[in-house]
Amino acid sequence: MRQHKLSLCKEHYLEWLPEQTERFIQKYNMFTHKDKVLVAVSGGKDSLTLWEILWKSGYVADGLYINLGIDGQTKYSEMSRQIVLDFARERALRFTVVDVEEEFRETVPQIAARTLRGKAKPCSVCGLVKRHIMNRVARDAGYNILATGHNLDDEAAALFGNTLSWAKGYLIRQNPVLESIHPGVIKKVKPFFRFYERETAAYAVLSRITYVYDECPYSIGSKTIYYKGLLNQLEADRPGAKLHFFLAFLKAKKEGLFAQPPEKCGLELKTCPVCGQPTTVPDTCAFCRMMDKVKSPTVKG
Ligand code: Q46
Ligand code: ZN
């Protein structure tokens, strides 16, 4: 690991990553052994590795798998669902499965195809659906922490994109720890945000975790993947650049840069009358508005 000027053998690497995870959980006040953690698992290496480490470290950490219904030729959802179920059963872990099609009568790509937001690509609709379900399951089942497996490459790429367009709103909100700001919202944490993707992948391979190798077909050609490539080029010439980029951003935030403008600080979040989740408008939230359109029958001309 050139970025840390550190080389480890297999045995020590398998100790190092969980120790570092524990250090970050404590350093950033993510959660303690008294909390009830819900881990969002996609079947990929990051989320399964996170679940495994939290479980082995004795945390109350149950899984949530959302079947998005992204199948097509790759059978991405079907494959990832099976991998998550096998992973949990082999370790006797508790988990919840939410099937979007069963619950909303349509898969994520089908919902997206009906909306303006998702016409070209379902990712924005997919994000909205996932956020809504994660929050709802955590809230209804009494979890007070929602953990995701985002790694440094994910966070740095998102920051890079947000910085290129100076997306103020996203820069204000981007954080590895998001405290609950509304009774309907669960505290969100990303315990792997300081690990390079190679580091979590190495752990998954060395500890023989079976995970889905294929990415979601809709991620192909995405801006995120392009930004990750650019940051990897930078990292190759300047080891540690990616980590520095993200940590310097967090430091700047701590010092008050990217803070909420004073006129917005007092703005209270409203509660969606349909689902109880927060919204900035005094009406139904974006998710409920979108699902309302899905429920109404298509008018054929
Ligand atoms: S948003 Fe887009 Fe991902 Fe949803 S449709 Fe696939 S690539 S899974 S993180
Ligand atoms: Zn709602």
Side-chain angles (χ1 to χ4, degrees), residues 132 272-277 284-289:
H132 177 89
C272 169
V274 181
C275 69
Q277 294 203 17
T284 42
C285 70
F287 174 83
C288 291
R289 269 180 281 140

Side-chain angles (χ1 to χ4, degrees), residues 68 70 122-123 126 130 216 218-219:
L68 305 165
I70 297 174
C123 291
C126 181
K130 283 194 286 195
C216 168
Y218 294 107
S219 71

Side-chain angles (χ1 to χ4, degrees), residues 16-73:
W16 177 81
L17 200 113
E19 280 166 12
Q20 293 297 307
T21 308
E22 182 59 37
R23 191 166 79 82
F24 300 146
I25 290 172
Q26 289 182 18
K27 181 178 165 77
Y28 295 94
N29 291 321
M30 293 188 180
F31 50 84
T32 68
H33 283 83
K34 289 188 187 136
D35 291 305
K36 249 187 113 186
V37 184
L38 184 66
V39 188
V41 279
S42 63
K45 63 186 181 323
D46 300 299
S47 55
L48 290 182
T49 299
L50 176 63
W51 198 9
E52 166 121 335
I53 288 178
L54 295 185
W55 162 62
K56 284 190 170 166
S57 311
Y59 286 103
V60 181
D62 301 335
L64 166 65
Y65 174 74
I66 304 174
N67 188 351
L68 305 165
I70 297 174
D71 280 325
Q73 287 176 339

